[in-house]
C-alpha cells in the first residue's frame, strides 16, 4: 500500500514524506532505491499540520550478501513510500534464527527468533528505554537457553 511520497531534504540516514493515507509511529516502510532495490525504514515521528500530515523516517538499510548495509547516496525526493511487506522486514532485520523465539514485532504477525549460536559467541547488549521490556526479554532468552 502506498503511504505517500518523499518530500524535502533527504540524507543517507533519514527522510520525510507526506502521508496520503494512514501511518503510525514505529511503522516499517519500504522505498525503492536505484542501487540497492527496496530499503527498509521506520517512522520515528508523525507531524500533523492543518492541511497535511508529515512522517519522519530513519533508514535501517538493506541486506546484501547477508550483511545489513547502509545507503551510500540518498533516496530521490518524490519517490513513493510503501508499507513494508513482511518478507522485506524479516530478511532485512535478520529475524530468521530458529533457536530462540522471543515474540512478535509490534503491529505485525512476524515472529522474532534469535540464533543462539551467534548470541552466545558474540557480545550481547539489550538496550531500550525504561519500562520497554529489557528484563522481560532477558527472561525469555534465558528460558529459551534452558
Amino acid at each position: 500500500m502506498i503511504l505517500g511520497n518523499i518530500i524535502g531534504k533527504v540524507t543517507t540516514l533519514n527522510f520525510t514524506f507526506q502521508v496520503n493515507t494512514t501511518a503510525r509511529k514505529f511503522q516499517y516502510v519500504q522505498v525503492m532505491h536505484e542501487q540497492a532495490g527496496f530499503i527498509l525504514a521506520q517512522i520515528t515521528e508523525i507531524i500533523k499540520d492543518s492541511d497535511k500530515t508529515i512522517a519522519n523516517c530513519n533508514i535501517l538499510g538493506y541486506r546484501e550478501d547477508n550483511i545489513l548495509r547502509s545507503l551510500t547516496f540518498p533516496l530521490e525526493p518524490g519517490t513513493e513510500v510503501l508499507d513494508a511487506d513482511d518478507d522485506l522486514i524479516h530478511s532485512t532485520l535478520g529475524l530468521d534464527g530458529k533457536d530462540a523465539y522471543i515474540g512478535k514485532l509490534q503491529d505485525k504477525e512476524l515472529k522474532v527468533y534469535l540464533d543462539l549460536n551467534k548470541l552466545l559467541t558474540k557480545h550481547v547488549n539489550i538496550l531500550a528505554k525504561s519500562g520497554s521490556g529489557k528484563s522481560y526479554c532477558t527472561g525469555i532468552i534465558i528460558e529459551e537457553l534452558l
Side-chain angles (χ1 to χ4, degrees):
M1 170 182 15
I2 299 172
L3 300 176
N5 295 81
I6 295 177
I7 58 171
K9 293 181 181 179
V10 182
T11 72
T12 57
L13 298 175
N14 51 52
F15 63 90
T16 301
F17 73 94
Q18 183 167 342
V19 179
N20 297 332
T21 60
T22 303
R24 301 173 319 279
K25 187 172 181 176
F26 303 125
Q27 180 177 357
Y28 290 99
V29 297
Q30 65 186 50
V31 181
M32 181 56 78
H33 186 267
E34 65 182 73
Q35 183 180 21
F38 278 114
I39 61 99
L40 186 66
Q42 188 175 35
I43 297 174
T44 56
E45 192 61 69
I46 297 178
I47 304 137
K48 281 196 172 220
D49 199 342
S50 59
D51 61 338
K52 61 186 172 186
T53 301
I54 304 296
N56 294 332
C57 296
N58 282 344
I59 297 171
L60 301 174
Y62 63 99
R63 183 121 348 226
E64 181 181 70
D65 299 327
N66 207 25
I67 297 171
L68 183 62
R69 307 244 186 224
S70 300
L71 297 183
T72 56
F73 61 92
L75 298 162
E76 290 295 321
T79 305
E80 291 179 338
V81 178
L82 310 166
D83 184 28
D85 65 52
D86 289 353
D87 290 338
L88 181 69
I89 297 170
H90 189 269
S91 64
T92 304
L93 296 181
L95 305 179
D96 53 0
K98 296 297 180 206
D99 298 327
Y101 171 70
I102 62 167
K104 293 182 180 179
L105 282 182
Q106 182 178 346
D107 297 330
K108 290 284 186 181
E109 289 301 313
L110 272 178
K111 293 182 178 181
V112 177
Y113 289 90
L114 298 177
D115 183 335
L116 289 178
N117 187 41
K118 288 181 182 177
L119 184 73
L120 296 174
T121 58
K122 301 286 183 180
H123 299 287
V124 176
N125 286 311
I126 299 175
L127 305 171
K129 294 180 182 179
S130 294
S132 63
K134 296 179 298 294
S135 297
Y136 179 78
C137 181
T138 302
I140 295 294
I141 292 170
I142 291 170
E143 281 181 6
E144 292 293 323
L145 285 169
L146 295 174

